[in-house]
């Protein structure tokens, strides 16, 4: 089927009309290694054929206040960015921060097993709205070799 690897790109407000809340912290997605003494390596967005963005992968667990049923209340979002996204808003409670995703992408998947299968979604984004970590904007001090706002080097 041609749609098996298609990511859909809805607007954030359409997919999550009441927003999302980040539960805890965003962490790096690491590759599995059978050698437990080997150093952890962060995964990048490249598949077995070499297709992808080549950017680092980060993961955060979020909750949707409009979700019905306990099964759909929280899920993981994979962030595809060079720098770990940082929420701009202050937490409303310990470990619960309101966020708005930028570059939202969703892909349907089959969840569950046996006779208890349902449709779930893989959710990923490029960042968080209002993020000032450097993943969505230029650094504060670009250095002398980089062009300034007029396009000329300093």
């Amino acid at each position: 089927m041609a749609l098996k690897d298609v990511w859909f790109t809805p607007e954030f407000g359409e997919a999550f009309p009441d927003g999302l809340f980040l539960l805890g912290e965003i962490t790096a997605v690491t590759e599995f290694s059978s050698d437990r003494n080997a150093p952890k390596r962060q995964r990048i967005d490249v598949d077995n054929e070499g297709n992808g963005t080549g950017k680092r992968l980060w993961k955060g667990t979020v909750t949707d206040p409009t979700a019905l049923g306990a099964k759909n209340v929280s899920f993981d979002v994979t962030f595809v960015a060079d720098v770990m996204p940082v929420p701009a808003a202050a937490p409303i409670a310990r470990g619960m921060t309101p966020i708005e995703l930028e570059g939202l992408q969703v892909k349907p998947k089959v969840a569950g097993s046996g006779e208890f299968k349902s449709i779930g979604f893989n959710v990923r984004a490029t960042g968080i709205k209002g993020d000032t970590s450097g993943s969505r904007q230029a650094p504060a001090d670009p250095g002398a070799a980089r062009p300034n706002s007029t396009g000329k080097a300093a």
Side-chain angles (χ1 to χ4, degrees):
M1 174 180 251
L3 292 176
K4 98 175 182 179
D5 290 326
V6 174
W7 287 89
F8 297 96
T9 55
E11 291 296 321
F12 180 80
E14 290 179 274
F16 306 106
D18 287 342
L20 290 177
F21 295 97
L22 177 66
L23 303 175
E25 301 290 325
I26 295 174
T27 59
V29 177
T30 55
E31 293 180 352
F32 173 78
S33 174
S34 58
D35 180 7
R36 58 184 167 160
N37 295 327
K40 300 283 185 201
R41 289 182 27 178
Q42 187 170 1
R43 288 187 56 199
I44 57 171
D45 182 35
V46 176
D47 63 11
N48 292 336
E49 289 88 37
N51 300 322
T53 63
K55 296 186 179 211
R56 295 177 179 183
L57 298 179
W58 311 87
K59 181 178 75 170
T61 302
V62 298
T63 185
D64 180 2
T66 60
L68 299 174
K71 195 164 44 166
N72 301 322
V73 171
S74 66
F75 53 92
D76 287 339
V77 173
T78 302
F79 293 95
V80 182
D82 289 326
V83 179
M84 181 178 72
V86 176
I92 59 170
R94 188 178 353 172
M96 193 169 191
T97 308
I99 62 170
E100 184 175 335
L101 302 176
E102 290 184 334
L104 175 65
Q105 295 182 320
V106 295
K107 181 167 72 168
K109 67 177 180 178
V110 176
S113 62
E115 60 189 76
F116 302 105
K117 290 182 182 173
S118 63
I119 295 176
F121 291 93
N122 288 324
V123 180
R124 68 188 214 171
T126 57
I128 297 173
K129 188 173 184 176
D131 179 12
T132 59
S133 66
S135 64
R136 304 295 298 163
Q137 68 181 22
D141 181 16
R146 287 203 191 148
N148 58 18
S149 61
T150 62
K152 297 179 181 177

